Amino acid sequence: MSGNPWTNQEEARLLAMRADLIDFRVIAKELQRPLSSVYAHHAVLKARRENAGTAVRVVGRKTCVKNGGPGEAKPRKCLCCGHEFPSAHAGNRLCYRCRGQSFSPFEIRV
Ligand SMILES: [Zn+2]
């Protein structure tokens, strides 16, 4: 029932088995969960996965800080005009002049 939460391990197994095109009925038996629950949870996981891409892009600034490090300041070429400028961090890809305009590099990519 819904009062029986899925563990990360079960979710990973469900996704792995689906990736191998294993039938939902077999997965349900394997995970000892009702078929309907396996179906429903797989849909949830798929949706979550698709949303994850957008979520990463939405928090792009934070992700970039994590990857590049906030202190990683170096000259970068502006994505907009190609002009080299002192960039504050890896997520900072527009020169001051272009950033003055009303868009961000994250919005351009969508
Ligand atoms: Zn520029």
Side-chain angles (χ1 to χ4, degrees):
M1 302 282 205
S2 57
N4 196 357
W6 286 69
T7 65
N8 289 340
Q9 203 179 11
E10 283 175 313
E11 291 179 343
R13 285 183 71 194
L14 167 57
L15 288 173
M17 284 191 275
R18 277 313 294 162
D20 288 340
L21 300 178
I22 294 171
D23 192 272
F24 275 109
R25 266 166 296 203
V26 177
I27 297 172
K29 216 172 173 185
E30 195 68 32
L31 296 178
Q32 300 185 318
R33 286 185 178 275
L35 182 57
S36 59
S37 165
V38 174
Y39 265 130
H41 202 70
H42 184 253
V44 169
L45 287 179
K46 256 178 77 181
R48 201 187 286 167
R49 221 179 216 194
E50 278 153 25
N51 289 335
T54 4
V56 167
R57 219 162 291 146
V58 170
V59 294
R61 266 159 265 233
K62 266 185 187 159
T63 310
C64 284
V65 166
K66 203 170 125 200
N67 292 340
E72 201 197 31
K74 57 182 176 186
R76 287 189 172 85
K77 280 198 172 173
C78 172
L79 285 179
C80 182
C81 65
H83 177 81
E84 206 164 88
F85 71 104
S87 162
H89 57 83
N92 178 203
R93 295 295 172 90
L94 284 180
C95 71
Y96 295 115
R97 206 173 41 183
C98 294
R99 252 189 312 157
Q101 292 166 24
S102 62
F103 52 72
S104 81
F106 303 97
E107 282 157 2
I108 295 174
R109 292 185 53 185
V110 174

